[in-house]
Amino acid sequence: MQSDLLDQSALRTLAERLVEAARKAGADAADAVAVRGISQGVEVRDGRVEESERSEGDDVGLRVLVGKRQAVVSTNDVSGDGVARLAERAVAMARVAPDDKYVGLADPELLARDIPELDLLDPQIPSTAELERRAQEAEAAALGVKGVTKSGGASASAGIGGMVLVTSSGFHGAYLRSSQSISTTAISGEGTGMERDYDYTAAPHGADLLAPVAVGRSAGERAVARANPRKVATCQVPVVFDPRVSGSLVGHLVGAINGASIARKTSFLKDKLGAQLFANGIRIIDDPLRLRGLRSQPFDAEGVKVKKTALVDDGVLTTWLLDSGTARELGMVTTGHAHRGVSSSPSPGPFNLHLEAGVVTAKELISDIKQGFYVTDLIGSGVNGVTGDYSRGASGFWIENGEIGYAVSEVTIAGHLFEIFKSMTPASDLEFRYGVNAPTVRIEGLTLGGR
């Protein structure tokens, strides 16, 4: 990795100049974000490279506040006297923006003073040749699975993303994070009987990736297992979510406790803070400080100190996700969950999420189910965050007498998130592979819409 790509000193200087220029132009307060993005990726099919690309770029964003008015401008070219012009334009925009009594920088007392080291940067970024090798190995492993008839392609990528944040209230912070991934899609069957499935691995450090052969083999085995799916009659049965999709249930909770939704009163959980939503023992954690975490970062997009938080503790909803603006609107204090891009103002969102593991194995979780459905893939986004109604297309496998049997496709699972949360039982097989992680999860009494 070229050392100049890891040097953020020029970006830090640029952010400082932008904030200073904004104050000179008449802003009461300002903050500047500078984002570095470097990515390279390779796609292969049938052993040949189909596409290889690389991109590099730095973008900057400036937010200015004039009284209770706010404006955000962004650019990827600040040369000559561009800093002064950008700041003047931002201040002029803010002066004609509508008043918003909730805007403002974060409380200085809440800012991060010590930036923790989270080991997010792998200095050994792979070459294009290495990415080709990974993708080709993964594809070959998928094609080597008996029953796989063709490749849906494989890819490998690597990159670096970083952020510098400077505020007029005195915060200066920066971090860099690498990312690497391998993915494969495999197809089984022929003609109208073809089925496809995939697998992938992603991590900041290459050493934490699954081996390309393991990714490819898993994709192939999944595709073959889906061959000759059957349809099932509409019924109400226990539904078990594979770890690859069970994290989506955590995602629905987190979307509903986002401070922006709470402030707009567009969440079905708007009056449920402190309520028992889950069974005793259920804990859902957001951890921005996980070492080598996919979504880890040492401070939020307002410079606020971040911390590991139990969003749900012993089944009880403990908090909303807040940035400074939504916190002021709700009469609360930011939880350090601000995110932003260079062209947007801060808004709340999660970091590394996980549902803590239960005590029973996945096999034990299924063992007493006479008739049920094991979900491996979800389709569409039929979840209403205002009402909590849940309805999604799905495919997977039929459970009979405690055993996973034949493949099932073209069904819909439906219920209400209140009931889903209340009946959730996690297994003990939690692994940290994604941005949102959960073990195998069992939900009682969902409606399965079939033939």
Side-chain angles (χ1 to χ4, degrees):
M1 174 57 62
Q2 298 168 243
S3 60
D4 59 326
L5 296 179
L6 306 182
D7 183 0
Q8 293 175 293
S9 58
L11 290 181
R12 185 188 294 265
T13 299
L14 175 58
E16 291 170 349
R17 290 175 58 210
L18 281 167
V19 170
E20 182 181 355
R23 295 302 299 270
K24 286 181 178 178
D28 296 316
D31 61 15
V33 173
V35 175
R36 170 157 294 168
I38 306 159
S39 66
Q40 55 185 350
V42 173
E43 295 184 13
V44 305
R45 189 183 298 268
D46 297 326
R48 296 188 301 274
V49 175
E50 282 200 330
E51 186 174 357
S52 179
E53 60 182 11
R54 178 183 174 88
S55 64
E56 296 181 18
D58 293 337
D59 297 286
V60 294
L62 174 66
R63 178 172 63 134
V64 303
L65 297 107
V66 178
K68 286 298 181 181
R69 299 178 177 185
Q70 173 179 269
V72 178
V73 294
S74 64
T75 184
N76 59 6
D77 181 18
V78 184
S79 55
D81 60 351
V83 167
R85 289 203 311 271
L86 189 70
E88 289 166 0
R89 186 165 78 246
V91 170
M93 291 169 59
R95 284 177 173 150
V96 297
D99 279 345
D100 183 347
K101 61 184 178 181
Y102 304 118
V103 302
L105 302 184
D107 183 339
E109 294 182 359
L110 302 176
L111 298 177
R113 300 302 176 190
D114 300 311
I115 307 301
E117 171 52 54
L118 303 177
D119 196 15
L120 301 180
L121 182 65
D122 186 343
Q124 302 299 320
I125 299 300
S127 64
T128 301
E130 170 62 13
L131 294 178
E132 288 180 19
R133 183 194 67 78
R134 292 178 182 180
Q136 288 169 339
E137 277 193 14
E139 183 185 51
L143 289 170
V145 175
K146 184 178 180 181
V148 171
T149 52
K150 60 180 66 177
S151 168
S155 65
S157 66
I160 286 179
M163 183 175 89
V164 172
L165 174 65
V166 174
T167 75
S168 60
S169 57
F171 180 83
H172 293 69
Y175 65 86
L176 282 171
R177 173 172 50 216
S178 54
S179 61
Q180 299 188 42
S181 69
I182 305 167
S183 65
T184 316
T185 300
I187 299 169
S188 64
E190 300 286 351
T192 58
M194 289 193 297
E195 295 290 335
R196 71 172 59 220
D197 213 319
Y198 69 94
D199 205 352
Y200 74 96
T201 180
H205 284 251
D208 296 333
L209 294 173
L210 296 178
V213 170
V215 175
R217 185 183 302 119
S218 173
E221 290 171 348
R222 287 175 178 271
V224 171
R226 292 179 63 154
N228 304 311
R230 306 181 198 177
K231 295 180 175 61
V232 294
T234 297
C235 55
Q236 195 171 56
V237 293
V239 175
V240 179
F241 288 72
D242 181 86
R244 189 167 69 171
V245 293
S246 58
S248 65
L249 301 174
V250 177
H252 299 321
L253 169 79
V254 170
I257 65 172
N258 184 294
S261 297
I262 302 302
R264 291 193 302 264
K265 302 187 185 303
T266 56
S267 168
F268 75 102
L269 295 179
K270 63 183 182 296
D271 58 355
K272 295 299 181 182
L273 189 62
Q276 182 94 32
L277 297 183
F278 298 80
N280 293 338
I282 296 291
R283 298 185 84 232
I284 296 176
I285 307 298
D286 187 33
D287 186 6
L289 299 175
R290 182 187 305 150
L291 294 178
R292 297 193 180 190
L294 272 172
R295 299 180 183 174
S296 298
Q297 58 190 67
F299 52 85
D300 82 350
E302 296 179 299
V304 171
K305 182 178 181 179
V306 294
K307 62 181 180 180
K308 183 177 181 179
T309 305
L311 308 180
V312 172
D313 196 5
D314 203 20
V316 175
L317 177 62
T318 66
T319 186
W320 308 130
L321 300 186
L322 303 172
D323 66 343
S324 294
T326 55
R328 293 186 190 105
E329 189 168 357
L330 294 168
M332 304 175 79
V333 176
T334 177
T335 56
H337 281 95
H339 295 256
R340 76 177 277 198
V342 294
S343 59
S344 62
S345 56
S347 60
F351 298 102
N352 297 302
L353 293 163
H354 74 271
L355 167 64
E356 284 194 349
V359 296
V360 298
T361 66
K363 186 174 180 62
E364 290 169 337
L365 197 69
I366 298 169
S367 62
D368 66 338
I369 297 177
K370 298 298 182 185
Q371 300 283 322
F373 181 50
Y374 186 85
V375 184
T376 59
D377 202 17
L378 292 166
I379 305 159
S381 55
V383 180
N384 190 320
V386 179
T387 65
D389 291 320
Y390 180 95
S391 179
R392 298 194 68 179
S395 58
F397 300 88
W398 194 244
I399 301 171
E400 196 162 28
N401 296 321
E403 298 289 340
I404 295 176
Y406 55 82
V408 171
S409 66
E410 297 181 24
V411 297
T412 300
I413 50 178
H416 194 282
L417 286 173
F418 276 139
E419 301 304 318
I420 289 172
F421 294 160
K422 190 182 301 181
S423 70
M424 182 182 292
T425 304
S428 59
D429 56 345
L430 175 66
E431 293 183 347
F432 292 96
R433 290 188 58 188
Y434 314 110
V436 182
N437 296 282
T440 303
V441 168
R442 174 173 169 171
I443 306 295
E444 305 299 332
L446 289 179
T447 298
L448 196 67
R451 63 173 186 268

